[in-house]
Amino acid sequence: MASRHDQELHGGVLSGNGSPGLWGALIGLIIFAFVAVPISAAVRFALHPNTQQLFAGRLSEATTAGYVAFWWIVAILLLALPFLVGWGVAKLSGRTLGIIAAIIGVFFIAILVMGQLYVF
């Protein structure tokens, strides 16, 4: 009976035999805490197109639809980042890291293209 009780006390995320899924969730939560304010700002810029006037220069000359679409894509990328990092930590394989790099690369290229077409 004592051995069963000892096994129950030695589990958990921070112990040597922690679950990879729990590690992924913990790292994802930490990343979310870091990107919470930029997510909030990107959604705020997307929901209020009048904030376009806050940016001097070329941003004030962009179309409203392009400005809003640009900020929504930035918000989606920032919101997906904690999930991608958590999933990558939980899996920790070369294939998973390649998939994450590809997803981030596609979002980055989409932001650059939209930035060039609509914003800048």
Side-chain angles (χ1 to χ4, degrees), residues 16-108:
N17 58 356
S19 167
L22 290 177
W23 275 110
L26 179 65
I27 298 299
L29 185 63
I30 291 169
I31 297 297
F32 183 76
F34 281 119
V35 297
V37 172
I39 290 171
S40 168
V43 169
R44 211 170 327 133
F45 289 147
L47 291 176
H48 300 290
N50 292 337
T51 58
Q52 187 174 1
Q53 308 307 326
L54 295 173
F55 300 97
R58 294 193 235 176
L59 275 176
S60 61
E61 299 169 2
T63 63
T64 304
Y67 179 80
V68 169
F70 175 77
W71 284 113
W72 274 119
I73 288 182
V74 170
I76 290 169
L77 172 65
L78 289 173
L79 192 60
L81 194 62
F83 294 104
L84 287 172
V85 171
W87 182 59
V89 167
K91 296 294 182 182
L92 271 183
S93 70
R95 183 174 181 225
T96 303
L97 295 177
I99 291 170
I100 291 172
I103 291 170
I104 291 175
V106 166
F107 271 118
F108 184 73

